[in-house]
Amino acid sequence: MNNRNLAIIVLSISAAALAVLNFSSKPAVAEQAIAGRDYAIVTASTSVGGEALYILDNRSQKLAIFSYDPNTKQVRPRLVRSINDAPRAR
């Protein structure tokens, strides 16, 4: 077996292993992170199949929602509102 055939075999095995790992792994999911008690950050799936990032600023009592648009491949702001304007649960 010469060096060329050995290189082809090693690269083929590496490609097969990476393909199996790519299809069998789950995507990364962050549920909540709090930084210095000033911010709360939460991710969630949207009803249309995308992902949304909710950021709560505890100092100013503002909520910002950003979502990823897969068609344009951009993160877009969806809402910035005061917590006081949000509907209350009863």
Side-chain angles (χ1 to χ4, degrees), residues 32-34 36 40 44 49 64 68 71 84 87:
Q32 183 175 13
I34 298 175
Y68 178 73
N71 296 326
N84 298 328

Side-chain angles (χ1 to χ4, degrees), residues 6-52:
L6 181 62
I8 291 172
I9 292 171
V10 169
L11 290 174
S12 298
I13 292 171
S14 298
L18 288 173
V20 168
L21 289 173
N22 187 35
F23 291 116
S24 66
S25 64
K26 294 181 181 179
V29 176
E31 293 185 12
Q32 183 175 13
I34 298 175
R37 297 187 185 194
D38 291 335
Y39 295 97
I41 302 171
V42 179
T43 61
S45 297
T46 62
S47 61
V48 293
E51 294 290 322

Side-chain angles (χ1 to χ4, degrees), residues 61-77:
Q61 296 295 307
K62 298 271 185 185
L63 174 68
I65 302 173
F66 299 90
S67 66
Y68 178 73
D69 185 1
N71 296 326
T72 61
K73 297 184 178 178
Q74 293 180 344
V75 175
R76 298 188 180 267

